Amino acid sequence: MHELSIALSIVEMAEEEAAARQARIRAVHLKLGRLSGVVKDALLASYDMAAAGTALEGSRLVIEEVPIVGYCAKCQARRGVDGVQWFLCPRCGSPISEILEGKELQVRALEIAE
Ligand SMILES: [Zn+2]
């Protein structure tokens, strides 16, 4: 299960951070791109499983979904892209030449308990 191994590595990283700061982590904030290939709900469920019995037990995983942004060479501009299968510029209809955002899978912040 893809999401479980991702959740385990997030928990492991956060545990190290908690130990280094001698603090309790209340929440982990994660940026998750719509093209990351990770299913949000599955990751949330896996997180609770991965955190059980660790220093992270009882903490929350907060997922911030990152929309898809591409670059249109014809308009020479950044454009938000809706579809996941077809990347077309919403303005001129040309194929998007490069995906700029939406592949993120990145821990953005750790919330430390007081
Ligand atoms: Zn365009």
Side-chain angles (χ1 to χ4, degrees), residues 8-79:
L8 283 167
S9 60
I10 293 170
V11 165
E12 196 175 304
M13 185 280 290
E15 259 193 313
E16 280 174 23
E17 199 63 27
R21 299 188 199 190
Q22 296 190 305
R24 264 185 69 84
I25 307 268
R26 193 165 52 185
V28 176
H29 292 253
L30 186 77
K31 276 178 101 159
L32 186 66
R34 288 185 54 195
L35 288 177
S36 62
V38 174
V39 180
K40 182 183 171 184
D41 289 344
L43 185 57
L44 285 171
S46 301
Y47 182 80
D48 288 341
M49 234 187 291
T54 75
L56 273 290
E57 185 160 0
S59 68
R60 283 183 313 132
L61 180 65
V62 181
I63 294 179
E64 179 196 332
E65 283 186 285
V66 181
I68 304 165
V69 177
Y71 182 78
C72 175
K74 195 169 173 192
C75 300
Q76 302 197 329
R78 289 162 59 94
R79 299 281 186 227

